[in-house]
Amino acid sequence: MLSSLNSMFGDERFDEIRYRILDLTDVCKFEINRNDVASFTAHSYALRKSNAFLKLAIVADNDKLKAMAEIYKKQNAETSWEIEIFSSLAHAREWIA
């Protein structure tokens, strides 16, 4: 999961994009904990300097991934990014539109 997140923010177009869908529905095996989420949140704060207004849709159908996504969302609640979590790609696309 963290490699997916890192590749998303490593995209050279990151500064210009207005939305991103992070589809984690194909993730079968992962190791992530609260410390990993906190680390990624800290990284996200730095990224806001290059893209302050991003809509991030996280799609997850695994309960543990959803729980970690919820922690990430709560840790970013006081920021300019809009973050929502969805169980399906279709719902994420509707929200982005």
Side-chain angles (χ1 to χ4, degrees), residues 15-64:
D15 295 356
E16 311 291 319
I17 63 173
R18 295 290 149 232
Y19 70 89
R20 192 66 183 231
I21 297 175
L22 180 60
D23 184 1
L24 303 174
T25 56
D26 288 337
V27 174
C28 298
K29 182 179 176 186
F30 58 91
E31 293 182 29
I32 188 170
N33 59 45
R34 289 178 180 264
N35 290 336
D36 295 326
V37 175
S39 174
F40 186 68
T41 297
H43 185 66
S44 297
Y45 274 96
L47 290 169
R48 281 186 192 81
K49 293 181 181 187
S50 65
N51 188 336
F53 302 100
L54 177 73
K55 287 180 82 166
L56 176 60
I58 302 172
V59 183
D61 56 4
N62 173 291
D63 289 339
K64 186 174 180 184

Side-chain angles (χ1 to χ4, degrees), residues 18 72 93:
R18 295 290 149 232
Y72 177 75
R93 286 184 176 142

